[in-house]
Amino acid sequence: MAGCDDSFDIIVVGAGPVGLSFAASLAHSQLKLAVVEGQSLERLASPDFDGREIALTHASIGILRELGAWDVISASDKSPLQGARVLNGSSPFALCFDSPGGSAEPLGVLVPNCQIRDALFKIIRLRGHARLLCGHSVVRATNSRQGAVITLSNGRQLSARLLVAADSRFSATRNLLAIGADINRLGNSMLICRVRHERPHHQIAIEWFDHHQTVAMLPLAPGVSSLLLTLPSNEADGLLALDDELFLRELTKRCRGRLGNMNLASQRYIYPLATTWAHRFRAPSVALIGDAAIGMHPVTAHGFNIGLGGQKQLARGIETAWRDRRDIADPDMLHRYESRLRLSAAPLYHATNILVGLYSSEHPAARLARHVGLRLGQHLPFVRHGIAAMLRR
């Protein structure tokens, strides 16, 4: 059995943004908490820029503000998103999402993933309520109604009343606990880079579904955008291998000059795409949060927002149980967490998968359907305003 120094109320596996948010959410609970992370403490303390920009809803900004992390992120790393446009091939029609009622409030705010991680890590270290165990992975995990036990790659064994998996959509912890998941490896990759460009973006994001590719342009500082190109993985790998001059020439051609002349403002990053949906979000003395529970397709940029809201639900349930002197791994509480997360996330998860299927298909019927869909959506204000309102929540 683990000694007292290796026994915790809660063990969180995975120190990504959702895992760190969950640990920060329990800062005032007086629970004994450990966060296990395979990366070294040095890398966790200084996360590298990884190309990813997170589109935060107002609800997510509110959660980060409550945790104290929002004010740690510098204003220069916050890019307001005033609107979005969805385009289909060479069609002149665009589906426009703007703030309802002419509000000056943005739809959301774009923040680099590394800055969110950095801010949350600083909050965890500042409050000192969670023990960070870095540099070793989980190689064994067991659970029962009495608690959970994990073994790290250095042989150290830890026990907890509740084990929380937050270690990515390919969660090793989920696999070790024999919790199945629907995993769809899409065969596509997303190539990301920042570019400087001559034409203004007016803080408007563009999602352009073109033939055999999807282009997204996310507005950052004036004259700077994050450009995301989704392609079959072998094609994306070929683009990644080009020198800068050839790459920019190819990028300009694929974007049809929408941003004018472009120059690279960062290195290039590539991410193979996959979606996941765990068959269960909880088990005896276990809960799944973030991508370990639901790995969204990035086309709607809502994955982190769902994960952030889910961890808050779980943390509130635990805090209520702790305050009422009930079991923090109460099966009924975990069941309520799972049910609420499924209810809130399932519509967007499945709708996103349908959207990706429709807009990536080259079948003539699909091409006609998306063309008609854009025309109808643009002329039905309640559709546009309803989606915009959802994005702002």
Side-chain angles (χ1 to χ4, degrees), residues 93-113:
F93 298 99
L95 191 55
C96 303
F97 301 113
D98 297 300
S99 296
S103 169
E105 189 177 46
L107 286 178
V109 179
L110 292 160
V111 179
N113 179 60

Side-chain angles (χ1 to χ4, degrees), residues 6 58 82 131 154 181 190 263 299 310 315 328 358 390 392:
D6 292 332
H58 291 277
Q82 298 295 349
R131 187 182 302 181
N154 64 350
M190 181 175 284
N263 291 297
V299 69
I328 61 169
L358 175 64
M390 179 196 72
R392 295 172 69 245

Side-chain angles (χ1 to χ4, degrees), residues 228-268:
L228 300 82
L229 187 62
T230 301
L231 297 163
S233 293
N234 59 344
E235 198 172 338
D237 290 338
L239 278 181
L240 187 68
L242 295 178
D243 64 35
D244 288 354
E245 183 179 351
L246 286 176
F247 174 74
L248 282 169
R249 191 182 305 166
E250 181 67 19
L251 205 58
T252 302
K253 183 176 72 174
R254 288 177 178 274
C255 294
R256 300 189 189 179
R258 288 181 180 275
L259 297 176
N261 292 325
M262 295 186 291
N263 291 297
L264 284 173
S266 78
Q267 68 181 79
R268 290 166 263 172

Side-chain angles (χ1 to χ4, degrees), residues 359-377:
Y359 277 88
S360 61
S361 173
E362 291 301 315
H363 191 280
R367 293 169 66 176
L368 175 63
R370 58 191 184 234
H371 176 73
V372 171
L374 282 184
R375 291 194 64 174
L376 285 176

Side-chain angles (χ1 to χ4, degrees), residues 14-30:
V18 173
L20 291 175
S21 298
F22 176 72
S25 293
L26 294 172
H28 305 295
S29 67
Q30 298 183 327

Side-chain angles (χ1 to χ4, degrees), residues 328-347:
I328 61 169
D330 174 51
D332 291 336
M333 182 274 291
L334 293 179
H335 174 72
R336 285 192 297 273
Y337 158 71
E338 178 179 50
S339 298
R340 289 171 182 167
L341 183 56
R342 285 186 182 278
L343 186 63
S344 62

Side-chain angles (χ1 to χ4, degrees), residues 34-83:
V35 179
V36 175
E37 169 59 42
Q39 291 187 90
S40 68
L41 185 63
E42 291 74 22
R43 288 198 64 185
L44 199 59
S46 301
D48 294 329
F49 177 71
D50 61 9
R52 290 179 289 185
E53 310 287 340
I54 307 300
L56 296 169
T57 63
H58 291 277
S60 292
I61 292 170
I63 293 172
L64 292 176
R65 185 173 280 118
E66 289 173 9
L67 297 178
W70 183 247
D71 292 334
V72 176
I73 302 171
S74 69
S76 62
D77 286 315
K78 299 170 182 174
S79 304
L81 186 60
Q82 298 295 349

